Amino acid sequence: MSEPLNYEDFSVGQQFGSAEGYVMDKDRAIAFAHEFDPQSQHLDDEAAKDSIFGELVVSGWHTAAATMRLKTETELFKVANGLVGMGLESVRWPIPTRPGDTLHILVTILEMRLSKSRPDKGIIKYKVETLNQRGELAMEMITSVIVPRRAA
Amino acid sequence: MSEPLNYEDFSVGQQFGSAEGYVMDKDRAIAFAHEFDPQSQHLDDEAAKDSIFGELVVSGWHTAAATMRLKTETELFKVANGLVGMGLESVRWPIPTRPGDTLHILVTILEMRLSKSRPDKGIIKYKVETLNQRGELAMEMITSVIVPRRAA
């Protein structure tokens, strides 16, 4: 097991990729849609033909959940005591994920600052790009996390 | 089946609630975490005691997925030809959802404007508040959708 990381181990512009791809299985995508996002474009091939997409596409929330999974496999998740999220600043889905796509992510650190209220913490703002096997951007998210500073 | 709704059927300040609550089943929450968000605070009671939350809490992405499900049951989803999302402006999770919580949502329309590029469409910006059975805010999201205008 590698050493836990602290605020001081990161720097602006640093990038991390996910270790493995997330394969978007068609049956799993349809089951996810039935449970959480029952709109015609996500539920079956026939109904999806009449939707605005013209074909079956994966729920954006399934792409988001897969992105979370991929995030836990990056260097960013080796911080001491786990990450504390501060919510999301923006999320967009430029193109839909399709069944059979393989997703991977690229994390880029955008900004870093020390916490004013908690001197033992720092705040890291980063972008997560979720890309398919053709390198197309399926989702982009900007978010911040609270990360412990190394003990003096 | 009720008449599909158009841009003209909505107004700023209008609010919609979800029809039914979403019961956050503990086993389902743990399974979701194993699949999408395998962090100790989401996976089991024992491991969660040592996490920053001190107890088992539901993944924010499961709360988000449940929110999506509840959204599909509101009046907003009766628009003609389905909603086209424009991404999220912000998402925050003020408190975690706990196993056994029952979630419901309140949608509030914040802004409305006609599309400049597509005269047959309008854009509705709205807030979604996800509340638990005690009325505590578990998630707040601001997002916009493209909605068809009624044919002249």
Side-chain angles (χ1 to χ4, degrees):
Chain A
M1 198 173 145
S2 56
E3 202 70 13
L5 300 178
N6 293 286
Y7 181 79
E8 291 77 8
D9 296 309
F10 298 98
S11 57
V12 171
Q14 207 175 355
Q15 293 191 310
F16 313 103
S18 46
E20 290 182 50
Y22 181 96
V23 179
M24 190 53 82
D25 178 78
K26 183 176 178 177
D27 290 342
R28 183 69 197 94
I30 290 172
F32 187 101
H34 275 274
E35 187 174 3
F36 296 117
D37 195 354
Q39 301 185 75
S40 58
Q41 67 269 26
H42 305 315
L43 291 174
D44 76 85
D45 287 307
E46 273 309 305
K49 281 182 189 164
D50 295 326
S51 77
I52 44 162
F53 293 97
E55 61 175 322
L56 189 72
V57 296
V58 175
S59 167
W61 295 100
H62 194 170
T63 298
T67 296
M68 179 67 230
R69 174 64 192 236
L70 291 168
K71 268 174 64 180
T72 63
E73 295 167 6
T74 64
E75 287 288 300
L76 199 57
F77 268 72
K78 292 183 181 159
V79 297
N81 305 316
L83 289 174
V84 184
M86 296 179 67
L88 314 177
E89 269 182 45
S90 67
V91 183
R92 58 192 191 95
W93 291 270
I95 61 160
T97 299
R98 290 174 174 81
D101 280 357
T102 299
L103 303 176
H104 65 280
I105 64 167
L106 181 64
V107 172
T108 305
I109 294 183
L110 301 178
E111 291 174 27
M112 294 179 64
R113 61 187 168 89
L114 301 178
S115 170
K116 283 173 188 159
S117 55
R118 285 183 277 181
D120 61 331
K121 308 283 186 191
I123 295 160
I124 297 179
K125 182 195 280 196
Y126 62 98
K127 176 173 70 173
V128 183
E129 293 167 289
T130 308
L131 305 148
N132 66 22
Q133 67 281 6
R134 288 178 297 279
E136 297 163 336
L137 186 63
M139 179 170 145
E140 184 181 279
M141 179 170 89
I142 294 175
T143 181
S144 294
V145 281
I146 302 172
V147 174
R149 294 177 70 185
R150 188 172 294 124
Chain B
M1 198 173 143
S2 56
E3 202 71 14
L5 300 178
N6 294 286
Y7 181 80
E8 291 76 7
D9 296 309
F10 298 98
S11 57
V12 172
Q14 208 174 355
Q15 293 191 311
F16 314 103
S18 46
E20 291 181 49
Y22 181 96
V23 179
M24 189 54 80
D25 177 79
K26 183 175 178 177
D27 290 343
R28 183 69 197 93
I30 290 173
F32 187 102
H34 274 275
E35 186 174 3
F36 296 118
D37 196 353
Q39 301 185 73
S40 58
Q41 67 269 26
H42 304 316
L43 291 173
D44 76 84
D45 287 306
E46 274 308 307
K49 282 183 189 163
D50 295 326
S51 77
I52 43 162
F53 293 97
E55 61 174 323
L56 189 72
V57 295
V58 175
S59 168
W61 295 100
H62 194 170
T63 298
T67 297
M68 178 69 228
R69 175 64 193 235
L70 291 168
K71 268 174 64 179
T72 63
E73 294 165 6
T74 64
E75 286 289 299
L76 199 57
F77 268 72
K78 292 183 181 160
V79 298
N81 305 315
L83 289 174
V84 184
M86 295 178 70
L88 314 177
E89 268 181 47
S90 67
V91 183
R92 58 192 190 94
W93 291 270
I95 60 159
T97 299
R98 290 174 174 81
D101 280 356
T102 299
L103 302 176
H104 66 280
I105 64 168
L106 182 64
V107 172
T108 305
I109 294 183
L110 301 178
E111 291 175 27
M112 294 179 64
R113 62 187 168 90
L114 301 178
S115 170
K116 284 173 188 158
S117 55
R118 286 182 277 180
D120 61 332
K121 307 283 187 194
I123 295 160
I124 297 180
K125 182 196 279 197
Y126 62 98
K127 176 173 70 173
V128 183
E129 292 167 289
T130 308
L131 304 149
N132 66 22
Q133 68 280 7
R134 288 177 297 278
E136 296 163 337
L137 186 63
M139 180 170 144
E140 183 181 279
M141 179 170 88
I142 294 175
T143 182
S144 294
V145 281
I146 302 171
V147 173
R149 294 178 68 186
R150 188 172 293 125

